[in-house]
Amino acid sequence: MCISTTERLLFGADPLTHIVAAELWGGDQVRVYRRRNGEVVAEDVPFAPWLVAEREAPWRAFPGVTGIEPLAGGHPLRHLVTFNSWGAFLDASRAARDSAERVHRLRSPIEQYLAMSGRTLFKGMIFGDLVRLQLDIETTGLDSEAPDARVLMIALRTTDGWEEALLNEGSEADLLHQLNRRIGDLAPDVIEGHNIFNFDLPYLASRANRLGITLSWGRDGSALRIDDYGARFKAGQHTLPFRMATIHGRHIIDTYQQIQRYDVGGQLRSYGLKNAIRELGLERDDRTHLDGAQISSLWQTDPKRLTRYALDDVRDVDTLARLSTQTEFYQTQLLPRTYQVVATGGPGEKINDLLVRAYLAERHSLPQPTAPKDFAGGHAELLATGVFHPVVKCDVESLYPSIMVSQGITSGSDTLGAYLPMLRELTDRRLEAKTRLRAEREAGNVEQSAMWDGIQASFKVLINSFYGYLGYRAGLFNDFDAAARVTNEGQRIVRQVVGELQRNGALPIEVDTDGVYFVPPPGVSHPDEEQEFIAAVSSTLPDGIRLAHDGRYQSMLSLRIKTYALLAEDGVVLLKGSALRNRRTERCLRAFLEEACLAFLEHDPDRARTAYFTLAERMRQRRVAVPDLTQWGLVNNETIGAQPRVKALLQRTGSQGGDRIEYYERDDGVLA
């Protein structure tokens, strides 16, 4: 497969631009929404649902089948079956499941339509072209079914800076009707909120249902839909539950989820809105702060202050969305998926979609996933413990993708040869985007800089997902043997880096997959000298493998493997490892760990000793506030079954699956 063909398959074959949404319309059409001259217009296009089957025979006389097309190649899934309606497709899916018939299908009609048509959303647009609406609600409490439950205020903000706080001055029903009218008038492409899936939208839907009101937010006037079953959101190694909500013709983005994906290094202690803004250094000096318990009383005594607080919330949501969601926006231009699905889906699914689209465009048969095999992970090694200064980190850029490209390691199922050309194309595109980013930054073009930064970041996420896809259990083109070859070569290269550092007088401290922390050799102290030193080590590595400077620190406290503290050049302390930073650890202990680590990093161990005994004495004298002694956890089968006391606490508080709870132990041993 030539690069030009791969480029066409990778970026979509259809040139139609400015599609902001697509929805199933009837059973055999898709309504495509496009933004033209500031207006959104709708066009209905034919749609034939499909699946790819192993055998032809079961589908010959199946109701609703309109065609069975044989596909080229020798893979087992070799028959493209099309249907006359979405209902017929659903019947076929159930029949295939009940009879254990082997098929591949996409469960979303829009993903099916995009994959087969070669179209993608947002083509020809930049992030700033989206009409985005931020939403936040203030309520009497967290339980929408409580006797005194009410929505007091709804704060709204749009892309262009328009803001309004809708107040419950007459009745709650009037307030919800106002919200319906505003959403209809503003016609947003995206509605954003912080924890909007698990709180704002379910609360509004519950209150509307109680009052007999339809939240008619769809572009076609249809209602907001909230699923009762739990969806799952993947952020790094964590998979978290949430309540999926959908709006016809619009996308919903939860910045509570997106900031977790943005925080790949795990630097933020909490993903609450105010804390995230504060720790990212984005808090405004005039920001209004309130305790949640004050909201109901302030509604009676100082509604203007509550209004300022609510509007500050939607401003913060806008800030986090601009920071954390542009990667997903630009990925949506590549993938046969909606923006909302891209923002909540895992990386393996995205690579799978790219490959399936490529193969179907060539009318080629599809493989089935191979059985899982165990293989070695990345190389991690602790080489020295103690306090070291100064410390530099070098990093093998895109280690696994670079190995795959330089050594031609690919999926054995990729008979079309699409996998590596796609990876090379994405890599080349990212380099081009980074070049444009540097140029725009030097020219002071803020909006263009943000665009190119979002584009290069979206490419980076997909590039790094190509290796993980080889070990993705559900991937049609997975290949565990190829994944093992990549990790084995990665281990060899990182060990080579460590050896070269030692031979050149450096002191390696910690190795983690593709990076090495080390003390530079004598005579290497300036950033330019560090760059030259790392470049010299890089020159000894295989072709296509590049070592880069990835940070310098005043000092490092190395404790055990993957557990260390760093003192950055700007004085910020970075803690790594669950023993040092765990969001379930009590606040007072987290504060102590930070203080103690800083003391060691600043070569003052006596200060750490003093901090320890000071906290111990405060505990003995019961001078530690209850909130500083709480632990938190998510309500799931693990927490419910952990111990009888936890189960009893959950029963008393009425906590549901997916809730976040904070609890502490009282004198009598009961959890509260």
Side-chain angles (χ1 to χ4, degrees):
M1 178 177 291
C2 64
I3 289 293
S4 59
T5 302
T6 304
E7 180 179 350
R8 174 175 61 83
L9 295 173
L10 183 59
F11 292 93
D14 192 287
L16 196 66
T17 62
H18 293 78
I19 301 175
V20 294
E23 298 286 355
L24 183 65
W25 193 250
D28 59 354
Q29 294 186 97
V30 164
R31 175 158 287 186
V32 176
Y33 292 97
R34 297 179 67 199
R35 188 168 289 283
R36 295 178 181 171
N37 302 319
E39 299 292 329
V40 172
V41 297
E43 175 190 5
D44 296 337
V45 297
F47 167 58
W50 55 269
L51 57 78
V52 184
E54 182 178 38
R55 301 191 308 137
E56 177 185 3
W59 311 107
R60 286 178 189 151
F62 197 89
V65 171
T66 57
I68 302 176
E69 179 184 348
L71 300 175
H75 290 313
L77 300 176
R78 61 179 68 232
H79 298 96
L80 178 64
V81 184
T82 52
F83 301 87
N84 61 11
S85 70
W86 186 247
F89 164 79
L90 293 177
D91 290 342
S93 295
R94 285 189 287 269
R97 181 194 61 211
D98 294 343
S99 62
E101 196 69 30
R102 296 206 295 182
V103 301
H104 175 71
R105 63 193 184 278
L106 301 179
R107 289 180 170 82
S108 161
I110 304 311
E111 290 179 34
Q112 287 195 18
Y113 166 72
L114 294 174
M116 195 60 74
S117 68
R119 290 179 172 177
T120 61
L121 304 189
F122 306 149
K123 191 176 293 180
M125 299 173 64
I126 64 172
F127 184 74
D129 292 335
L130 282 178
V131 177
R132 298 164 41 243
L133 173 69
Q134 293 80 47
L135 179 149
D136 181 76
I137 65 174
E138 304 302 336
T139 65
T140 53
L142 300 179
D143 183 1
S144 63
E145 300 295 327
D148 63 342
R150 277 187 304 153
V151 181
L152 302 175
M153 184 180 299
I154 303 172
L156 303 172
R157 177 184 171 86
T158 57
T159 311
D160 58 6
W162 173 90
E163 297 176 344
E164 183 179 17
L166 306 178
L167 310 181
N168 186 348
E169 295 176 309
S171 70
E172 192 177 26
D174 290 341
L175 177 65
L176 296 179
H177 284 307
Q178 282 188 68
L179 177 61
N180 282 347
R181 289 193 294 272
R182 289 296 186 278
I183 290 177
D185 293 342
L186 295 169
D189 303 321
V190 185
I191 296 178
E192 300 166 343
H194 201 77
N195 203 26
I196 191 172
F197 281 127
N198 285 342
F199 178 67
D200 300 76
L201 295 182
Y203 198 103
L204 288 168
S206 173
R207 300 307 301 160
N209 182 62
R210 177 69 65 92
L211 296 166
I213 295 171
T214 299
L215 298 179
S216 51
W217 297 359
R219 289 196 192 272
D220 63 345
S222 60
L224 164 74
R225 301 183 299 277
I226 298 180
D227 291 339
D228 292 329
Y229 56 88
R232 310 291 292 181
F233 163 74
K234 188 168 179 59
Q237 301 300 314
H238 304 289
T239 302
L240 306 172
F242 73 102
R243 295 188 67 183
M244 175 64 82
T246 52
I247 304 170
H248 178 98
R250 312 192 199 280
H251 311 272
I252 304 169
I253 296 294
D254 193 331
T255 52
Y256 177 72
Q257 295 179 341
Q258 298 312 307
I259 202 63
Q260 294 181 63
R261 282 191 168 173
Y262 177 83
D263 183 36
V264 291
Q267 300 304 316
L268 300 182
R269 284 168 289 189
S270 164
Y271 295 120
L273 180 62
K274 286 78 170 174
N275 186 80
I277 286 287
R278 186 183 308 114
E279 291 196 31
L280 289 166
L282 300 171
E283 187 173 75
R284 297 177 303 281
D285 292 338
D286 60 350
R287 213 270 188 231
T288 301
H289 287 281
L290 296 177
D291 186 281
Q294 297 177 272
I295 289 174
S296 289
S297 61
L298 279 174
W299 172 246
Q300 302 294 332
T301 61
D302 195 351
K304 289 184 177 179
R305 186 180 176 200
L306 184 59
T307 299
R308 292 196 300 272
Y309 171 78
L311 290 175
D312 276 334
D313 276 357
V314 288
R315 291 166 192 151
D316 286 347
V317 169
D318 178 43
T319 298
L320 290 186
R322 291 176 187 274
L323 179 71
S324 64
T325 64
Q326 296 203 41
T327 296
E328 276 73 17
F329 171 83
Y330 289 108
Q331 280 187 25
T332 305
Q333 295 181 338
L334 302 177
L335 297 163
R337 291 186 156 213
T338 67
Y339 183 32
Q340 183 170 329
V341 173
V342 168
T344 54
E349 302 163 359
K350 297 174 182 178
I351 305 302
N352 210 53
D353 281 0
L354 285 175
L355 287 164
V356 168
R357 181 176 67 186
Y359 271 64
L360 291 182
E362 297 292 309
R363 288 301 192 262
H364 196 284
S365 56
L366 300 174
Q368 287 205 310
T370 57
K373 292 182 181 179
D374 291 333
F375 58 93
H379 180 56
E381 185 177 4
L382 180 64
L383 298 166
T385 58
V387 179
F388 305 91
H389 68 95
V391 170
V392 173
K393 185 187 180 190
C394 62
D395 180 83
V396 182
E397 289 188 331
S398 299
L399 174 61
Y400 291 160
S402 297
I403 291 171
M404 293 165 67
V405 169
S406 63
Q407 299 195 14
I409 300 175
T410 185
S411 166
S413 302
D414 180 25
T415 53
L416 273 181
Y419 197 79
L420 285 180
M422 279 186 179
L423 180 54
R424 292 191 195 100
E425 183 71 23
L426 283 169
T427 303
D428 292 344
R429 292 289 183 122
R430 183 176 182 233
L431 292 175
E432 292 172 10
K434 290 177 72 175
T435 300
R436 294 292 298 272
L437 171 62
R438 285 191 294 269
E440 297 295 349
R441 279 179 174 168
E442 290 171 1
N445 297 328
V446 176
E447 187 171 10
Q448 290 295 309
S449 296
M451 178 188 76
W452 287 108
D453 194 22
I455 290 173
Q456 72 84 20
S458 67
F459 289 157
K460 179 181 179 180
V461 170
L462 289 175
I463 288 167
N464 289 333
S465 299
F466 268 74
Y467 158 73
Y469 178 79
L470 294 175
Y472 175 45
R473 288 172 175 258
L476 296 183
F477 297 84
N478 65 8
D479 188 327
F480 293 90
D481 291 333
R485 288 168 57 200
V486 174
T487 52
N488 289 338
E489 180 62 12
Q491 291 181 1
R492 190 192 68 76
I493 289 172
V494 173
R495 289 192 184 98
Q496 182 180 344
V497 170
V498 171
E500 291 295 329
L501 289 171
Q502 292 171 331
R503 277 189 287 276
N504 286 277
L507 173 64
I509 304 167
E510 167 99 12
V511 181
D512 188 0
T513 306
D514 57 1
V516 183
Y517 291 95
F518 66 94
V519 177
V524 176
S525 57
H526 189 272
D528 290 342
E529 295 170 338
E530 294 165 2
Q531 294 276 11
E532 292 174 3
F533 176 73
I534 291 171
V537 174
S538 180
S539 66
T540 68
L541 301 180
D543 289 343
I545 307 297
R546 182 175 179 273
L547 196 64
H549 191 297
D550 194 38
R552 64 196 315 263
Y553 305 91
Q554 294 185 49
S555 55
M556 177 177 184
L557 170 62
S558 174
L559 297 172
R560 66 187 193 199
I561 193 163
K562 294 188 177 183
T563 305
Y564 52 87
L566 298 163
L567 180 60
E569 292 285 283
D570 59 3
V572 173
V573 177
L574 307 174
L575 305 182
K576 299 285 186 176
S578 59
L580 293 181
R581 50 173 295 111
N582 187 328
R583 294 183 183 91
R584 296 188 181 186
T585 301
E586 295 87 341
R587 292 185 184 93
C588 62
L589 296 182
R590 292 204 304 264
F592 161 72
L593 287 170
E594 289 182 17
E595 187 176 358
C597 285
L598 179 59
F600 282 111
L601 289 165
E602 293 181 339
H603 309 285
D604 190 1
D606 288 343
R607 203 166 86 230
R609 179 182 183 277
T610 300
Y612 174 81
F613 285 108
T614 298
L615 175 59
E617 187 61 22
R618 287 177 59 217
M619 287 182 171
R620 288 181 66 251
Q621 296 183 11
R622 301 173 181 270
R623 290 191 290 111
V624 179
V626 167
D628 291 332
L629 286 169
T630 59
Q631 293 185 333
W632 75 267
L634 286 172
V635 177
N636 52 31
N637 291 334
E638 181 181 347
T639 53
I640 291 172
Q643 52 177 302
R645 292 191 308 165
V646 174
K647 187 173 183 178
L649 172 65
L650 298 178
Q651 290 172 341
R652 288 201 314 274
T653 59
S655 299
Q656 303 295 317
D659 286 350
R660 176 185 185 277
I661 61 167
E662 288 190 88
Y663 57 94
Y664 68 99
E665 184 175 348
R666 301 189 322 200
D667 259 355
D668 58 7
V670 173
L671 298 184

